[in-house]
Amino acid sequence: MGENPAKNHYAQLNQGEENEMEIFGYKTQGCRKALCIAGYILSCGALLLLFYWKPEWDVWANCIRCSLEEADIVLLRTTDEFRIYSRKTVTWISVSALIKSRLDYPGTAEEDSVFSKAIMKPSLQVKSIQVQRIRYVWNIYAKQFQKVGALEDHHTCSAIHAKFGSGLTCNERNVRKVICGPNTIDVPVIPVWKLLIKEQSVKLHRLVESHNNITVTVCRNKEGFQELESHHLVPGDMLVLKEGKTLLPCDAILISGQCIVNESMLTGESIPVTKTHLPQADNFKPWRMHCAEDYKKHVLFCGTEVIQTKADDTGVVKAVVLRTGFNTAKGDLVRSILYPKPMNFKLYRDALRFLMCLIAFAAIGMIYTVCVFALNGEEAGEVVKKSLDVITIAVPPALPAALTTGIIYTQRRLKKKGIFCISPQRINMCGQLNLICFDKTGTLTEDGLDLWGLLPCERDCFQDIHSFPADHSLPWGPVFRAMAVCHSLIVWEGKIQGDPLDVKMFEATNWVIDDSSGHKIEGQGSTHATVVRPGPKASSAPVEGVAILHQFPFSSALQRMSVIAQEIGGEQQVFTKGAPEMVAMLCRAETVPLNFESKLLLYTAQGFRVIGLACKSLQAGKQSTDLTREEVESDLTFLGLLIMENRLKRETKPVLEELSAARIRSVMVTGDNIQTAVTVAKNAGMISATNRVILVEANKIPGSFSASITWKPLEENKTEDYRGLAKAMGLEPRSPRVFTSAAPVQDDSPPTTERRIRLALASGQYHFAMSGKSYQIVAQHFRHLLPKLLLNGTVFARMSPGQKSSLVEEFQKLDYFVGMCGDGANDCGALKVAHAGISLSEQEASVASPFTSRTPSIACVPELIREGRAALVTSFCMFKYMALYSTIQYLGVLLLYWQLNAFGNYQFLFQDLAITTVIGVTMSFTGAYPKLVPYRPPSQLISPPLLLSVVLNILFSLSLQVFGFVVVQEQPWYSKTDIYSACLSVNNHMENSSSISSLGLHGMRDGAHGQTDNGYKSYENTTVWLLSTINCLIVALVFSKGRPFRQPIYTNYVFILVLIGQLGICLFLVFADIDDLYSKMDLVCTPTTWRISMVIMLAVTLAASFLVEEAVIENRPLWLLLKKTFRYHSKSHYKRLQRVLEQDSAWPPLNETFFSDSVAISVEGSMGGHSNPTFDSNEDAL
């Protein structure tokens, strides 16, 4: 071989991705395989079952290590903390039938593709593996497995147009189809006998089957257009999108024309999204890197619906197939449901540990059983059978199922309340949430904005404000034109659809969108431009209409959108709208008013949403499609500020107050202006009126690699005096801030204000607010300060989607259990990263988040937390009950083994089915308690209260059974050999019967006994079985917790009725003396006094168990006192940090500036746009 096999034995699969894995090569060895097969036979399949659960043992036993190139078996291991193994067999795909000669292959599109690098010569075979429905092929040159079913990432924009613009040849397509497999998302329906997951598989099957067989039109190189079934599509195919609605069967890159797409299936956002074609940029950057965060604006995703297409001068809307099958966005959603990411939750870890303890107990019981039965001369087979019985009794096989019952019922309750879940294991996580991040617009505030006013600007001066609604119409001019055309609205099903902000702005003009196609625009090749015209109520305008020639859609990263428009018969103009700070940076400095910052602050401080408008004229003769975004969005003329009122939703304040009362932190993460965000946070109650807000600003220092950070208080001022507020923020017009030293910047606020601020800071009543740019700089240059800032950080404004995800992860590093509530579009990353992501959407499920609420309000957050807490407590209750039930049965059996006795078959059956199974099903019906208490349920089983509860109840059960076992032997009527002596002696005493009749009766009973006794009947058996059976009911009642996390137990009517019914049957068995029934149940007759004694024993056990549970286990003040006495402190990172900062009188620094003393390892570029030096120093503070 010439190479060290160990060197090439290991590699990484999907490096840097969410599903990253380690892959190891192995080769099957004949002799090892034969030995393993012998082991399967000799162990009656037990070894095979073990290897099924431990695939790594299977591989290590059957195979030897080798290089990945030689491997016929690969072992995969996840790189996360769980390190889960899986085994995959290498398969071979033959392409020899498709490649007859060298002329057949490679084609133009294949020269640098993985397809040409995967075909082995001369065999013309491809080596592949399939992992979680994704196919990987062996790259001969790179010596690694690579994903197929998607275009390679290295293609540049120009390469995609050049290589795939005219379609694949027939041969190229056939080769790709064989290697990639069909473009389908197949979810087989699980057979009926697999009932546990049948329902989910049926729903998934229905979700995906509609997209597997769609007729599409493709363009073939040298063959023209063809219609075919969508499952024949391959990456690189040229898809032609026709007019009308189209369901997309794959992910595709738009390379010509424009599309309006409904992406609600993916993002939960019902607002149509505009997709523009991929630019023909001639550079060396891969297309995705070139487009940065905006690459999704050019991608059409599988499962979404194209509702409108607009062709360019080619007359055809074309897209290159990017991903197929399970590689697509929809495939990713289905895979996330089929292969959910394991959650590192303490409950599940502790459950496994506890299971190990039960196995250890079972081992002790086995040794005891072997000793007792062997010493008494029992047969070896009987000894083995009895000892194996102990394992099945001590380790309850229903334990895993019992832990999930609470989750299943909770999921159903959530569904009834309009909250859908695609990741049920996260429900228990919701019970531990103690920090919730909220998006602002559409989440805390209304989706629809009301147009409040317009502040126009002429000759670098703001004019009088124009209020809405007004008696007089807005005059014709550049501002009016900007409002009429700078949007991405469409007419869909007779209604104007699009972003609510755009809708309100456009409606204020009283113009209409002419949705009829075929508008010929002078000087433009396109015949499909959107035209807006004056409506019936519009004021007179000197133009017939304005055509929107090209759009640069809104980007969260760039914080703006632009359009190129042309008056019919007039010149082309650019109109831009977006964040005022960003728009001002793109404008020529002489067009921006001197009092821009103070005017902006005036309105944002009142909670208004402010949008900046700008425009410029374009040179005649230039095609709009040839211009880049950078060229269009430069040297603009500032037009003014559009002021919109963003009202809080009715539910916002009560929900945030409820969360605050429950000591659950609320944090705002928004893309809006920082001052607007702070005002909304105050109005919503997120920041109390008595608390102080400290603005944290971080800036990169020009000409160096260091940065500065400043803490400034946002002062409380009179409503009308905004100039003072601007001054307190350091936003005096035209006063650039220069950092010359690290000395504190002196504050000129009155001493009384300073004292008030210091008092608030000393009591911990302060909140940090920062922008996304500052957050990024702090994360890079002041990493040590980030945890301290996050501890009191409440408002994070102007955050990009990537920064939102990063923030959630940073909170998680502080040991917070983080929830994220927002829309599915911009917040997608953060929703997936959070412990519980809740998307407000009309869809049942979206790829955006584990939870989706159909009701678009944050009222779903406390509801989810309540249900999560109830599910968590239910899991604990079920765990404790199953542990106690198995222990009670285990103790009873071991006691009877002492006399070489055991429970009978019907006795086991009654306890397992009639008692435990029914209780296990109904105990979880209890709903969530309506009020959120200011503390969370425990998150782990290995906690002192829970362990104490289990141990004490085990001791009570042991005492009860041992007491009954011993005391019954002391009774005067007890006989070890005559199991009918008790009732016979009672009858003699009561009826004074003759000895002859007594002997006759005894003989009769003995005869009956001789016919039916199976060796289980004894006074000890009857006593222990009755006591243990009713004891199971006692622990079920005692462990069924109600308040504070679940509703009182009496509200679970089914469970109460079941308990009453079971208790009635058990008491009937105790007091009934029916020979046939007793014979079936292996019970014997005992005197009434003894039966009453057993009931008294059980009543005492119930009283003791209930008293301990209520007075000790559930006594929160007692446990808090013990914690205080033993100086126990929480080990959570954020709690430790809180204790440290409480002792630090210098924190937080106020009106001080610090500098970073080291170079950041990675410095991220600006968020886009062109820099305007005039506003560099002041922009960060807005």
Side-chain angles (χ1 to χ4, degrees):
M1 193 166 62
E3 288 181 318
N4 180 9
K7 181 184 176 184
N8 302 308
H9 165 67
Y10 156 85
Q12 280 197 322
L13 205 64
N14 305 324
Q15 191 167 5
E17 295 179 29
E18 192 179 359
N19 57 341
E20 183 181 83
M21 293 182 178
E22 294 171 317
I23 182 169
F24 304 90
Y26 286 89
K27 190 189 291 182
T28 309
Q29 197 175 44
C31 58
R32 286 184 175 224
K33 183 83 173 172
L35 284 171
C36 287
I37 291 169
Y40 302 154
I41 297 165
L42 292 172
S43 65
C44 302
L47 184 62
L48 192 63
L49 186 66
L50 179 66
F51 282 172
Y52 176 79
W53 290 108
K54 287 284 186 182
E56 65 272 28
W57 293 2
D58 181 12
V59 173
W60 295 334
N62 282 281
C63 311
I64 56 169
R65 284 176 55 169
C66 68
S67 66
L68 283 166
E69 194 168 10
E70 297 176 306
D72 59 5
I73 298 288
V74 294
L75 188 63
L76 297 153
R77 183 174 67 192
T78 59
T79 55
D80 56 20
E81 56 195 299
F82 302 99
R83 301 181 77 76
I84 298 167
Y85 283 94
S86 57
R87 173 190 182 277
K88 298 293 172 187
T89 303
V90 174
T91 56
W92 293 89
I93 303 167
S94 175
V95 293
S96 57
L98 302 172
I99 303 176
K100 305 294 184 186
S101 67
R102 291 184 63 86
L103 296 174
D104 289 336
Y105 193 79
T108 311
E110 308 295 339
E111 292 167 0
D112 195 32
S113 76
V114 69
F115 300 101
S116 62
K117 295 176 181 177
I119 298 172
M120 295 187 175
K121 303 182 177 60
S123 63
L124 297 179
Q125 286 186 316
V126 176
K127 182 178 178 179
S128 74
I129 57 172
Q130 188 153 315
V131 183
Q132 293 184 353
R133 312 291 177 100
I134 300 287
R135 186 176 287 180
Y136 299 82
V137 298
W138 179 255
N139 186 324
I140 304 163
Y141 303 98
K143 304 286 185 188
Q144 64 181 15
F145 280 103
Q146 282 186 306
K147 191 185 294 183
V148 289
L151 277 188
E152 292 91 336
D153 288 334
H154 63 74
H155 291 299
T156 63
C157 295
S158 55
I160 289 175
H161 282 274
K163 287 185 178 181
F164 306 106
S166 53
L168 299 173
T169 65
C170 187
N171 197 61
E172 286 169 349
R173 188 197 68 81
N174 290 336
V175 170
R176 288 183 175 227
K177 185 184 172 186
V178 170
I179 295 175
C180 295
N183 172 39
T184 55
I185 303 171
D186 291 320
V187 180
V189 177
I190 304 295
V192 176
W193 52 273
K194 294 186 178 178
L195 290 172
L196 282 176
I197 53 173
K198 176 179 178 294
E199 183 186 3
Q200 188 190 61
S201 73
V202 170
K203 285 182 179 177
L204 276 178
H205 183 77
R206 288 174 185 162
L207 179 73
V208 299
E209 66 178 343
S210 60
H211 299 143
N212 286 338
N213 287 301
I214 300 169
T215 303
V216 294
T217 304
V218 295
C219 178
R220 289 272 176 265
N221 198 342
K222 301 174 184 175
E223 294 178 30
F225 298 116
Q226 293 180 3
E227 284 200 348
L228 47 81
E229 293 289 317
S230 60
H231 62 262
H232 293 301
L233 289 173
V234 296
D237 258 335
M238 171 58 62
L239 203 59
V240 178
L241 300 173
K242 296 183 177 178
E243 288 187 13
K245 290 185 180 180
T246 309
L247 211 57
L248 285 163
C250 61
D251 289 357
I253 309 170
L254 194 64
I255 62 165
S256 74
Q258 186 175 304
C259 291
I260 310 293
V261 185
N262 177 8
E263 291 190 339
S264 59
M265 191 285 297
L266 286 182
T267 65
E269 285 277 286
S270 57
I271 298 167
V273 179
T274 302
K275 301 286 184 176
T276 56
H277 66 78
L278 187 75
Q280 292 199 25
D282 191 16
N283 59 30
F284 299 105
K285 279 187 180 179
W287 72 276
R288 195 174 295 190
M289 196 179 294
H290 172 76
C291 301
E293 286 192 33
D294 285 331
Y295 79 92
K296 289 181 181 178
K297 299 291 181 187
H298 313 303
V299 178
L300 307 171
F301 293 105
C302 176
T304 61
E305 186 180 38
V306 176
I307 55 179
Q308 197 180 94
T309 57
K310 294 180 184 177
D312 55 14
D313 50 358
T314 62
V316 184
V317 178
K318 295 191 290 187
V320 173
V321 175
L322 175 64
R323 290 180 286 257
T324 59
F326 279 95
N327 293 284
T328 62
K330 184 155 193 172
D332 188 43
L333 167 63
V334 175
R335 286 198 312 123
S336 70
I337 298 170
L338 290 173
Y339 308 101
K341 190 178 177 182
M343 298 300 296
N344 184 17
F345 197 41
K346 292 175 184 175
L347 171 66
Y348 306 123
R349 287 206 315 267
D350 292 348
L352 195 62
R353 290 172 187 167
F354 200 83
L355 211 59
M356 294 299 109
C357 293
L358 290 178
I359 290 169
F361 277 121
I364 294 166
M366 280 181 68
I367 295 165
Y368 163 83
T369 304
V370 170
C371 293
V372 168
F373 281 91
L375 291 172
N376 282 279
E378 289 287 332
E379 292 180 7
E382 189 67 19
V383 173
V384 170
K385 190 174 79 173
K386 295 290 186 187
S387 57
L388 289 175
D389 268 352
V390 173
I391 293 179
T392 59
I393 293 164
V395 183
L399 185 61
L403 284 173
T404 59
T405 52
I407 293 173
I408 292 166
Y409 293 131
T410 302
Q411 193 173 4
R412 287 182 182 174
R413 287 197 297 269
L414 287 171
K415 189 175 179 181
K416 287 179 183 176
K417 293 170 182 175
I419 301 170
F420 300 92
C421 174
I422 63 168
S423 183
Q425 73 270 25
R426 288 183 185 255
I427 290 174
N428 275 342
M429 273 291 191
C430 296
Q432 285 294 306
L433 295 180
N434 55 1
L435 185 148
I436 312 290
C437 295
F438 292 100
D439 182 34
K440 183 180 75 68
T441 309
T443 304
L444 297 174
T445 59
E446 294 286 356
D447 236 340
L449 299 162
D450 290 324
L451 203 57
W452 185 84
L454 174 69
L455 194 64
C457 171
E458 286 183 22
R459 294 183 298 277
D460 79 350
C461 290
F462 282 117
Q463 308 300 304
D464 293 336
I465 191 162
H466 179 93
S467 298
F468 294 98
D471 295 333
H472 62 283
S473 301
L474 194 66
W476 175 256
V479 176
F480 189 100
R481 289 197 293 276
M483 291 175 64
V485 299
C486 195
H487 52 73
S488 54
L489 300 175
I490 62 161
V491 176
W492 183 28
E493 296 177 349
K495 274 184 70 180
I496 292 177
Q497 301 274 357
D499 188 280
L501 185 150
D502 287 354
V503 172
K504 287 285 183 183
M505 180 184 74
F506 182 71
E507 284 177 349
T509 63
N510 290 319
W511 279 39
V512 292
I513 297 174
D514 185 353
D515 60 337
S516 57
S517 57
H519 298 293
K520 183 68 179 175
I521 308 302
E522 189 181 338
Q524 295 294 315
S526 170
T527 57
H528 290 79
T530 299
V531 175
V532 293
R533 303 180 188 277
K537 297 180 182 177
S539 57
S540 60
V543 294
E544 181 189 340
V546 182
I548 302 169
L549 305 178
H550 189 70
Q551 280 186 33
F552 295 97
F554 177 78
S555 159
S556 298
L558 301 176
Q559 299 175 11
R560 63 183 180 271
M561 76 159 290
S562 297
V563 297
I564 299 174
Q566 182 179 6
E567 291 179 13
I568 294 174
E571 63 172 1
Q572 290 183 36
Q573 283 187 302
V574 173
F575 294 95
T576 299
K577 81 170 191 297
E581 311 96 316
M582 188 58 68
V583 171
M585 287 174 67
L586 302 174
C587 293
R588 289 178 287 117
E590 64 270 18
T591 68
V592 181
L594 296 174
N595 59 342
F596 169 78
E597 299 95 337
S598 57
K599 280 288 184 184
L600 177 60
L601 187 60
L602 173 70
Y603 295 106
T604 56
Q606 298 174 74
F608 288 114
R609 182 147 185 209
V610 184
I611 307 295
L613 300 172
C615 76
K616 78 170 180 181
S617 296
L618 283 180
Q619 294 175 358
K622 266 208 168 187
Q623 285 278 358
S624 60
T625 51
D626 295 339
L627 295 168
T628 65
R629 189 161 193 161
E630 288 74 18
E631 289 174 319
V632 167
E633 295 175 337
S634 61
D635 296 323
L636 300 171
T637 300
F638 187 73
L639 293 179
L641 300 174
L642 194 64
I643 301 154
M644 310 195 86
E645 196 173 12
N646 199 189
R647 294 191 181 94
L648 282 178
K649 287 183 179 176
R650 186 168 43 84
E651 308 88 352
T652 297
K653 195 164 186 177
V655 166
L656 292 179
E657 285 172 353
E658 184 180 8
L659 293 176
S660 178
R663 293 184 185 172
I664 296 169
R665 265 187 75 185
S666 298
V667 171
M668 186 189 293
V669 189
T670 178
D672 208 342
N673 177 281
I674 194 165
Q675 187 62 61
T676 303
V678 168
T679 306
V680 170
K682 287 180 177 179
N683 294 339
M686 201 177 271
I687 298 173
S688 168
T690 57
N691 293 358
R692 297 292 165 187
V693 179
I694 299 171
L695 182 71
V696 178
E697 290 178 355
N699 296 281
K700 288 179 182 174
I701 297 173
S704 74
F705 291 105
S706 61
S708 65
I709 184 169
T710 306
W711 287 264
K712 284 185 173 292
L714 281 179
E715 290 294 339
E716 292 292 339
N717 291 276
K718 293 179 182 178
T719 313
E720 65 274 7
D721 188 12
Y722 288 98
R723 187 168 296 176
L725 181 55
K727 195 173 181 180
M729 285 182 65
L731 296 178
E732 283 290 296
R734 299 296 182 190
S735 57
R737 296 168 56 219
V738 180
F739 301 102
T740 54
S741 71
V745 180
Q746 294 301 313
D747 182 29
D748 55 1
S749 58
T752 52
T753 306
E754 180 70 33
R755 280 198 299 274
R756 271 192 290 119
I757 294 171
R758 277 292 164 201
L759 192 64
L761 298 184
S763 60
Q765 297 176 343
Y766 61 91
H767 301 262
F768 291 126
M770 68 169 76
S771 67
K773 185 179 177 185
S774 294
Y775 169 81
Q776 197 74 40
I777 293 169
V778 169
Q780 290 170 356
H781 294 270
F782 300 95
R783 190 78 200 171
H784 64 288
L785 290 176
L786 190 58
K788 295 181 180 181
L789 292 170
L790 295 185
L791 204 60
N792 285 81
T794 301
V795 174
F796 296 86
R798 294 286 187 235
M799 297 286 278
S800 70
Q803 288 168 345
K804 290 181 181 182
S805 302
S806 168
L807 180 68
V808 168
E809 287 179 326
E810 291 298 334
F811 275 127
Q812 288 172 331
K813 287 176 187 175
L814 291 176
D815 296 332
Y816 280 108
F817 281 86
V818 184
M820 174 74 200
C821 184
D823 62 67
N826 296 334
D827 306 321
C828 183
L831 288 167
K832 292 179 82 172
V833 166
H835 290 113
I838 312 151
S839 173
L840 304 183
S841 158
E842 293 176 4
Q843 298 294 310
E844 281 199 21
S846 71
V847 75
S849 66
F851 298 95
T852 307
S853 172
R854 269 194 173 171
T855 309
S857 93
I858 63 168
C860 61
V861 174
E863 194 61 59
L864 190 59
I865 295 171
R866 276 193 288 269
E867 290 291 355
R869 288 181 175 187
L872 188 54
V873 171
T874 299
S875 295
F876 284 129
C877 293
M878 284 303 304
F879 188 89
K880 286 166 67 176
Y881 173 72
M882 295 303 292
L884 257 295
Y885 144 72
S886 60
T887 306
I888 288 167
Q889 204 175 66
Y890 170 79
L891 294 172
V893 167
L894 291 189
L895 275 173
L896 294 177
Y897 275 2
W898 185 256
Q899 291 191 330
L900 307 183
N901 199 343
F903 289 155
N905 292 335
Y906 282 107
Q907 290 175 333
F908 274 125
L909 200 63
F910 184 83
Q911 282 190 346
D912 292 344
L913 288 182
I915 300 292
T916 304
T917 303
V918 179
I919 284 175
V921 169
T922 58
M923 186 189 275
S924 304
F925 285 168
T926 311
Y929 192 64
K931 185 184 177 185
L932 281 175
V933 292
Y935 51 92
R936 297 172 294 161
S939 62
Q940 52 187 17
L941 288 167
I942 314 299
S943 64
L946 199 140
L947 284 177
L948 186 64
S949 173
V950 170
V951 169
L952 287 177
N953 277 283
I954 288 174
L955 291 176
F956 292 150
S957 301
L958 179 63
S959 304
L960 174 70
Q961 293 188 52
V962 170
F963 186 77
F965 183 82
V966 172
V967 172
V968 74
Q969 296 175 4
E970 303 299 321
Q971 300 305 307
W973 41 263
Y974 172 79
S975 170
K976 193 169 186 177
T977 55
D978 186 359
I979 58 174
Y980 300 103
S981 61
C983 287
L984 180 62
S985 64
V986 170
N987 288 339
N988 284 341
H989 177 70
M990 292 174 63
E991 300 169 16
N992 200 15
S993 303
S994 65
S995 59
I996 296 166
S997 64
S998 298
L999 286 168
L1001 178 64
H1002 182 248
M1004 182 190 73
R1005 293 244 183 179
D1006 239 11
H1009 166 60
Q1011 291 170 3
T1012 60
D1013 187 15
N1014 54 13
Y1016 294 123
K1017 293 178 181 176
S1018 71
Y1019 291 119
E1020 291 90 347
N1021 174 294
T1022 300
T1023 301
V1024 169
W1025 186 79
L1026 287 169
L1027 289 174
S1028 64
T1029 302
I1030 299 177
N1031 194 17
C1032 287
L1033 301 183
I1034 288 171
V1035 294
L1037 180 66
V1038 170
F1039 287 164
S1040 294
K1041 297 271 193 307
R1043 284 187 282 250
F1045 303 113
R1046 299 202 307 170
Q1047 289 181 352
I1049 190 63
Y1050 56 77
T1051 60
N1052 188 347
Y1053 308 117
V1054 178
F1055 180 63
I1056 292 296
L1057 288 173
V1058 162
L1059 275 185
I1060 292 169
Q1062 290 173 333
L1063 182 62
I1065 293 168
C1066 290
L1067 290 176
F1068 176 75
L1069 289 172
V1070 170
F1071 289 103
D1073 190 7
I1074 303 167
D1075 281 346
D1076 288 344
L1077 178 64
Y1078 268 37
S1079 179
K1080 283 283 185 188
M1081 294 300 297
D1082 297 314
L1083 300 173
V1084 296
C1085 179
T1086 57
T1088 306
T1089 53
W1090 179 245
R1091 303 179 197 197
I1092 293 169
S1093 300
M1094 284 195 289
V1095 172
I1096 292 169
M1097 286 185 231
L1098 289 162
V1100 170
T1101 305
L1102 171 63
S1105 184
F1106 191 79
L1107 186 69
V1108 164
E1109 201 72 20
E1110 291 300 316
V1112 179
I1113 308 302
E1114 293 299 310
N1115 189 341
R1116 183 170 165 78
L1118 174 65
W1119 290 102
L1120 290 175
L1121 180 66
L1122 288 171
K1123 279 184 177 181
K1124 193 175 180 181
T1125 305
F1126 292 101
R1127 294 182 180 178
Y1128 173 82
H1129 295 295
S1130 171
K1131 294 176 183 175
S1132 297
H1133 191 174
Y1134 75 93
K1135 287 279 190 186
R1136 294 204 305 267
L1137 194 57
Q1138 273 177 348
R1139 291 194 294 272
V1140 170
L1141 293 184
E1142 281 170 7
Q1143 308 301 319
D1144 188 355
S1145 59
W1147 183 264
L1150 200 59
N1151 297 313
E1152 295 183 21
T1153 301
F1154 298 128
F1155 295 91
S1156 61
D1157 50 4
S1158 61
V1159 178
I1161 296 169
S1162 63
V1163 179
E1164 197 168 278
S1166 67
M1167 295 166 71
H1170 305 282
S1171 177
N1172 184 338
T1174 314
F1175 295 99
D1176 274 355
S1177 61
N1178 293 322
E1179 184 270 333
D1180 309 324
L1182 294 177

